[in-house]
């Protein structure tokens, strides 16, 4: 019979991951403190693409990857809007997606927050004046924070989430 | 520098051999060079059928335009299908060259030949469908019906394509009479989209989307399932239709570059290179050699990071995070290389008309070359690890088989087609830029399952890395943008050109028509538009839990399809 403690004390099998980004770490630990306090240790995000060019999705999913790994800061991406505190919307809202965007928002429990990610989500970007889009996300949902960029980098998105958490502390205590 | 000639002559001889004792007759003067055999072959077919020689207009980029009467068109098209011509695009232009009505362009290619040709068909409000002869025409015809209001009276599928229920009936955005701007959308539409109905004992439906569980783009999948296996899948897309083609109309060619970049974020370079090449052909700009090299380096970097995402995604979808991680780490490193070279992780704002906008110094390039050495060894060990996992092989092997016989009728291209036994690659078959002189290596698998797609994409990452090293080793100095660009663009003549690029997902086709210095019509057809139909076939008889894996192994762009 193997003593299970040997699994704990034997050398780790994973390789050392040589990567450090002090700026990210500092931002992350500050964020973690805020998430702990404001959102009870866990901030659940639902991502929604309302008509982006797909690069923003790639950057958001990079946040969950091994480099940024934002789950260690208490932030997780959830599959259902019913589990989400924050809706992260990318892309100008197309006519074909408008109904789905509204339904997703309505499915979220209150209090809920909306973040527009990328230039097109902020104000319609290059699609301004196109018959096929309504414009930025604020045309259809109440937007709390806008993160500009084409696309914004993972760190910029994280900074945006941080400013939302700071801001929402006040709005949560109001209600 | 001889390799191009060898490639072409090799392809030509292989092509003519496979067609038996086909002789090259002396036809039109426009078809004098040996690289236009597909066009010549088709015109000879036409002479046989219709008994007279058609008029041939030479395009600017090794493409040919053949205006046809309705009768000639109807009799020749079935013959083209019999001879395995591939319909690679079909689009409509209103008021083409002073024509009062509509011109339909049916673009064809033939395996083994570098030229492509367009049948031009003149129509008014109604015409007939060719979808029973060329199945790939189905989506194009629905697209044209939505855009221009042209009815294909005998089409078997007349449902709307990119205009969903929110758009009023009778609205056709690509008509010249419609000036781009806000329209009144239908609130709470009553009509539901008529999906294909499957009925019978034990058949049930699984509707999925448009909003999915993961961080991915929107689309609707309607499964009809008997027990666990998928009996039928219907994919409904175009939720992200942003009106890209209309947006380009009336714009200056240089103002269209951000639009080309936004077609699909992870095909930024491929689409801008294709768009710029078409405009450069129209305006007669020769881009400098160094710019050609830089474009190819960026194209291959884009292929690497795109394929890396697919590889890690496939492993994620079988729930194997430990194996995924090395691919994700390497991909992030490539994004950082992109940023280091071009100041943009997706290399946006780099390609410009006449060459490239940003100079990449020799020092930066040698740093890239140095990094790729580490990259290759780490990548090789990651793929080797994946191959030694029996559970991974078990899930990948024989899953989601794409049959080779579908590839020609549906114009399926890119690594997914090369994983199913075809060798088509725009970089070889219609070489552009530096690929004329320095062709990449080609990897082909025949099984057509998820494992083959994994292997082909993994091999292409390494092929691209070695090609980048080759390019960096031989890149010449000099200008990065043609000196005459500004003058040529401000004096751009009226004209049109077709250009194709091998994006990470396959053949992207752009057609640009300029009048009075402005874009009159911009048609984009990305590889994903055609390849989506491959998924509907590849999933059949597979179990529903394997669908995410199969979907990821294709990894198609929604944005690039929806436009």
């Amino acid at each position: 019979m193997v003593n299970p403690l040997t699994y704990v004390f034997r050398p780790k099998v994973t390789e050392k991951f040589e990567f450090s980004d002090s700026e990210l770490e500092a931002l992350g630990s500050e964020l973690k403190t805020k998430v702990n306090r404001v959102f009870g240790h866990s901030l659940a995000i639902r991502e929604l693409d309302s008509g982006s060019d797909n690069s923003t999705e790639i950057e958001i999913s990079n946040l969950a990857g091994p480099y940024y790994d934002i789950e260690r800061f208490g932030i997780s991406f959830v599959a259902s809007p019913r589990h989400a505190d924050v809706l992260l919307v990318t892309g100008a809202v197309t006519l074909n997606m408008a109904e789905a965007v509204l339904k997703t928002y309505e499915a979220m429990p209150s209090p809920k927050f909306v973040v527009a990610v990328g230039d097109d989500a902020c104000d319609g970007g290059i699609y301004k004046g196109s018959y096929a889009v309504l414009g930025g996300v604020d045309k259809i949902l109440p937007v709390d924070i806008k993160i500009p960029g084409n696309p914004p980098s993972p760190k910029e998105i994280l900074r945006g989430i941080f400013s939302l958490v700071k801001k929402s502390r006040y709005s949560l205590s109001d209600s | 520098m001889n390799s191009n000639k060898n490639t072409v002559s090799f392809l030509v001889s292989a092509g003519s051999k496979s067609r038996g004792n086909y002789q090259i007759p002396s036809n039109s003067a426009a078809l004098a060079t040996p690289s236009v055999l597909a066009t010549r072959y088709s015109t000879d077919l036409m002479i046989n059928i219709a008994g007279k020689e058609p008029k041939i207009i030479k395009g600017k980029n090794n493409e040919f335009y053949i205006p046809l009467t309705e009768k000639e068109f109807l009799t020749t098209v079935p013959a083209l299908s019999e001879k395995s011509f591939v319909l690679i695009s079909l689009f409509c232009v209103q008021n083409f060259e002073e024509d009062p009505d509509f011109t339909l362009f049916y673009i064809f290619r033939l395996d083994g030949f570098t030229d492509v040709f367009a049948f031009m068909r003149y129509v008014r409000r109604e015409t007939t469908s060719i979808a029973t002869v060329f199945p790939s025409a189905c989506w194009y015809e629905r697209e044209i019906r939505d855009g221009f209001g042209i009815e294909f009276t005998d089409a078997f599928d007349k449902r709307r394509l990119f205009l969903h229920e929110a758009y009023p009936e009778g609205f056709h955005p690509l008509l010249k009479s419609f000036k781009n701007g806000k329209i009144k959308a239908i609130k709470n539409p009553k009509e539901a989209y008529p999906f294909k109905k499957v009925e019978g004992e034990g058949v049930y439906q699984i509707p999925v989307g448009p909003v999915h569980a993961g961080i991915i783009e929107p689309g609707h999948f309607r499964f009809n399932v008997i027990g666990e296996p998928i009996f039928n899948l219907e994919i409904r897309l175009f939720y992200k239709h942003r009106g890209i083609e209309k947006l380009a109309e009336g714009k200056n060619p240089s103002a269209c570059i951000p639009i080309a970049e936004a077609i699909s974020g992870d095909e930024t370079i491929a689409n801008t290179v294709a768009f710029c090449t078409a405009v450069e052909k129209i305006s007669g700009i020769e881009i400098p050699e160094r710019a050609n090299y830089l474009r190819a380096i960026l194209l291959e970097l884009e292929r690497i990071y795109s394929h890396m995402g697919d590889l890690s995604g496939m492993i994620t979808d079988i729930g194997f995070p430990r194996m995924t991680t090395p691919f994700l780490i390497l991909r992030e490193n490539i994004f950082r290389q992109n940023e280091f070279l071009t100041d943009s992780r997706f290399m946006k704002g780099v390609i410009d008309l006449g060459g490239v906008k940003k100079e990449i110094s020799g020092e930066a390039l040698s740093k890239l070359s140095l990094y790729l050495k580490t990259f290759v060894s780490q990548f090789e060990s990651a793929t080797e690890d994946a191959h030694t996992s029996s559970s991974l092989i078990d899930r990948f092997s024989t899953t989601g088989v794409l049959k080779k016989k579908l590839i020609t009728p549906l114009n399926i291209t890119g690594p997914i087609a090369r994983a199913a036994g075809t060798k088509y690659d725009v970089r070889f078959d219609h070489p552009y830029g530096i690929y004329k002189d320095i062709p990449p290596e080609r990897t082909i698998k025949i099984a057509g399952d998820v494992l083959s797609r994994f292997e082909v994409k993994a091999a292409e990452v390494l092929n691209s890395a070695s090609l980048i090293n080759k390019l960096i080793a031989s890149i010449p100095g000099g200008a990065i943008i043609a000196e005459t660009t500004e003058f040529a663009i401000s004096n751009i003549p009226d004209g049109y050109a077709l250009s194709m690029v091998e994006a990470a997902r396959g053949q992207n086709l752009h057609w640009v028509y300029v009048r009075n210095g402005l874009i009159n019509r911009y048609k984009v057809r990305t590889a994903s538009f055609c390849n989506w139909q491959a998924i509907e076939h590849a999933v059949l008889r597979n179990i529903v839990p394997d669908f995410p894996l199969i979907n990821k192994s294709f990894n198609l762009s929604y944005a690039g399809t929806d436009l």
Side-chain angles (χ1 to χ4, degrees):
Chain A
M1 185 67 189
V2 185
N3 183 350
L5 278 180
T6 56
Y7 290 116
V8 178
F9 293 113
R10 73 178 181 182
K12 295 278 181 286
V13 288
T14 50
E15 293 155 42
K16 190 161 177 274
F17 181 32
E18 298 212 7
F19 167 72
S20 81
D21 181 339
S22 50
E23 196 193 341
L24 174 76
E25 297 304 314
L27 180 65
S29 70
E30 236 183 309
L31 186 58
K32 191 175 179 204
T33 329
K34 287 273 190 297
V35 167
N36 285 353
R37 212 177 302 147
V38 185
F39 285 94
H41 295 264
S42 126
L43 177 66
I45 297 179
R46 168 67 241 202
E47 191 272 345
L48 175 68
D49 177 354
S50 60
S52 80
D53 72 354
N54 81 20
S55 53
T56 326
E57 272 62 55
I58 294 174
E59 291 296 39
I60 293 173
S61 56
N62 278 341
L63 277 176
Y67 256 98
Y68 303 93
D69 190 18
I70 60 165
E71 207 144 328
R72 65 206 160 108
F73 307 136
I75 299 169
S76 54
F77 290 104
V78 292
S80 169
R82 301 211 186 275
H83 303 155
D85 304 303
V86 175
L87 193 63
L88 217 56
V89 191
T90 61
V93 181
T94 65
L95 253 62
N96 287 347
M97 269 307 279
E99 191 191 345
V101 170
L102 274 178
K103 281 188 175 170
T104 307
Y105 179 74
E106 282 160 11
M108 291 168 68
S110 286
K112 49 191 168 187
F113 303 92
V114 177
V115 179
V117 190
D119 289 341
D120 303 334
C122 290
D123 63 356
I126 63 164
Y127 303 111
K128 267 183 225 142
S130 166
Y131 67 90
V133 302
L134 293 173
V137 182
D138 52 8
K139 286 272 185 299
I140 184 168
L141 297 180
V143 173
D144 295 278
I145 293 280
K146 290 181 178 179
I147 307 173
N150 179 25
S153 70
K155 246 193 273 181
E156 282 162 350
I157 300 172
L158 202 58
R159 256 181 238 126
I161 296 172
F162 181 56
S163 50
L164 172 83
V165 173
K166 272 204 296 197
K167 190 183 154 193
S168 57
R169 197 165 60 148
Y170 303 108
S171 62
L172 281 177
S173 54
D174 288 346
S175 52
Chain B
M1 296 289 159
N2 292 326
S3 50
N4 169 43
K5 278 185 198 140
N6 293 340
T7 318
V8 173
S9 57
F10 163 74
L11 287 171
V12 167
S13 62
S16 20
K17 231 182 273 167
S18 67
R19 281 180 183 82
N21 54 1
Y22 170 65
Q23 299 274 314
I24 304 168
S26 55
N27 192 350
S28 167
L31 306 178
T33 57
S35 60
V36 296
L37 283 170
T39 313
R40 181 174 291 175
Y41 187 40
S42 79
T43 52
D44 289 338
L45 266 178
M46 242 178 309
I47 294 168
N48 284 344
I49 295 164
K52 82 174 205 245
E53 195 175 319
K55 184 182 161 199
I56 298 164
I57 304 161
K58 194 174 185 315
K60 306 242 160 138
N61 195 15
N62 199 22
E63 88 269 29
F64 295 86
Y65 298 88
I66 308 173
L68 293 178
T69 63
E70 190 65 12
K71 191 170 160 244
E72 286 170 332
F73 177 84
L74 291 175
T75 47
T76 320
V77 163
L80 290 188
S81 162
E82 266 167 39
K83 305 281 179 194
S84 300
F85 280 81
V86 191
L87 177 71
I88 56 174
S89 188
L90 161 54
F91 54 84
C92 179
V93 183
Q94 190 180 6
N95 306 135
F96 178 70
E97 308 281 73
E98 312 303 331
D99 184 88
D101 293 307
F102 303 95
T103 310
L104 299 184
F105 289 77
Y106 294 76
I107 318 276
F108 293 97
R109 71 164 192 90
L110 186 59
D111 254 344
F113 301 107
T114 57
D115 59 325
V116 301
F117 62 91
F119 276 4
M120 289 159 67
R121 186 187 192 188
Y122 299 94
V123 301
R124 305 184 81 161
R125 283 277 161 186
E126 274 183 7
T127 186
T128 51
S129 164
I130 62 159
T132 49
V133 189
F134 283 100
S136 59
C138 181
W139 273 29
Y140 294 120
E141 289 174 357
R142 291 170 66 189
E143 190 187 31
I144 292 169
R145 189 228 162 260
D146 281 4
F148 296 89
I150 295 170
E151 295 293 338
F152 292 82
T153 47
D154 57 345
F156 56 82
D157 191 348
K158 293 185 185 174
R159 293 174 296 176
R160 297 212 279 182
L161 191 74
F162 66 80
L163 300 180
H164 285 193
E165 290 76 26
Y167 290 93
E169 234 357 292
F171 170 69
H172 301 292
L174 291 173
L175 287 175
K176 296 283 179 220
S177 55
F178 171 69
K179 297 278 166 272
N180 206 1
K182 293 272 168 277
I183 58 155
K184 204 166 184 291
I186 298 182
K187 290 233 164 80
N188 307 316
K190 284 186 192 75
E191 248 173 83
Y193 182 76
F195 283 98
K196 198 188 281 173
K197 278 210 170 67
V198 180
E199 284 169 346
E201 200 182 323
V203 180
Y204 63 97
Q205 278 194 351
I206 310 177
V208 183
V211 179
H212 299 280
I215 306 176
I216 53 166
E217 301 176 76
H220 184 94
F221 301 91
R222 184 66 60 101
F223 298 93
N224 281 289
V225 178
I226 303 177
E228 281 236 80
I230 299 166
F231 180 71
N232 185 54
L233 165 65
E234 195 176 346
I235 300 175
R236 188 186 193 203
L237 299 172
F238 304 95
Y239 287 91
K240 298 176 71 164
H241 175 67
R242 293 147 287 157
I244 291 224
E245 289 178 7
K246 187 75 184 181
L247 211 55
E249 280 181 16
K251 283 211 163 65
N252 202 306
S254 344
C256 268
I257 294 175
I259 297 176
E261 282 183 346
I263 291 166
S264 180
D266 54 0
E267 293 172 22
T268 298
I269 298 288
N271 284 321
T272 39
V273 167
F275 171 75
C276 291
T277 308
V279 176
E280 285 152 8
K281 294 285 173 189
I282 297 170
S283 53
I285 300 171
E286 280 290 328
I287 79 163
E289 195 70 350
R290 185 174 176 83
N292 254 333
Y293 273 78
L294 289 176
R295 281 184 179 185
I297 290 171
L298 301 180
L299 278 166
E300 296 306 322
L301 269 175
E302 187 167 83
R303 195 180 322 282
I304 291 180
Y305 84 69
S306 177
H307 281 0
M308 298 291 292
D310 303 359
L311 298 173
S312 68
M314 283 185 233
I315 308 175
T316 306
D317 281 349
I318 59 164
F320 205 166
R322 137 83 181 85
M323 211 66 107
T324 315
T325 311
F327 290 102
L328 287 174
I329 292 172
L330 289 173
R331 185 164 84 132
E332 175 67 23
N333 289 342
I334 295 289
F335 276 129
R336 288 171 185 226
Q337 288 292 331
N338 293 349
E339 194 176 11
F340 168 67
L341 296 171
T342 68
D343 298 329
S344 162
R345 288 162 61 89
F346 289 84
M347 303 185 277
K348 298 207 181 213
V350 183
I351 306 293
D352 200 358
L353 294 170
V356 294
K357 211 178 277 177
K358 287 190 183 117
E359 169 69 303
I360 301 175
S361 69
E363 198 189 341
L365 287 175
S366 42
K367 271 189 187 156
L368 172 66
S369 180
L370 199 66
Y371 170 69
L372 284 176
K373 280 205 183 73
T374 347
F375 172 87
V376 165
S377 71
Q378 288 173 344
F379 181 81
E380 276 173 338
S381 92
T383 39
E384 212 174 281
D385 271 1
H387 270 116
T388 51
S389 158
S390 55
S391 66
L392 182 143
I393 300 294
D394 183 44
R395 286 292 301 276
F396 281 12
S397 178
T398 70
T399 305
V401 175
L402 172 65
K403 293 198 179 89
K404 192 184 174 186
K405 65 177 180 192
L406 292 171
I407 288 175
T408 300
L410 294 178
N411 186 32
I412 296 161
T413 55
I416 64 165
R418 290 191 285 276
T422 56
K423 58 180 190 160
Y424 182 75
D425 183 327
V426 183
R427 293 173 292 173
F428 287 95
D429 293 60
H430 315 283
Y432 51 94
I434 206 64
Y435 299 115
K436 286 177 188 160
D437 303 322
I438 308 178
E441 283 165 63
R442 176 145 55 177
T443 304
I444 292 158
K445 299 271 170 192
I446 52 167
D449 54 0
V450 173
L451 184 62
S452 310
R453 289 191 278 276
F454 184 85
E455 285 171 341
V456 166
K457 286 182 178 179
E460 288 192 358
V461 168
L462 293 172
N463 295 346
S464 293
S466 86
L467 183 64
I468 292 174
N469 277 330
K470 229 190 262 179
L471 291 167
I472 291 176
S474 55
I475 188 167
I480 53 164
I481 202 143
E483 269 176 35
T484 53
T485 307
E486 214 170 300
F487 176 79
I489 294 300
S490 50
N491 292 289
I492 187 167
D494 288 2
Y496 45 90
L498 181 140
S499 87
M500 290 197 282
V501 161
E502 180 76 17
R505 295 183 173 99
Q507 169 206 59
N508 283 11
L509 182 149
H510 291 231
W511 188 82
V512 181
Y513 177 35
V514 177
R515 275 181 92 171
N516 307 324
L518 303 173
I519 305 277
N520 186 281
R521 176 90 170 97
Y522 178 28
K523 175 65 202 157
V524 184
R525 204 272 295 131
T526 63
S528 301
F529 185 91
C530 299
N531 290 354
W532 272 113
Q533 287 161 66
I535 297 189
E536 292 186 339
H537 292 275
V539 298
L540 299 181
R541 296 200 200 164
N542 285 267
I543 57 172
V544 179
D546 272 341
F547 172 73
L549 172 63
I550 298 169
N551 191 20
K552 197 71 207 180
S553 72
F554 283 88
N555 189 30
L556 303 176
S557 167
Y558 299 68
T561 307
D562 300 355
L563 299 180

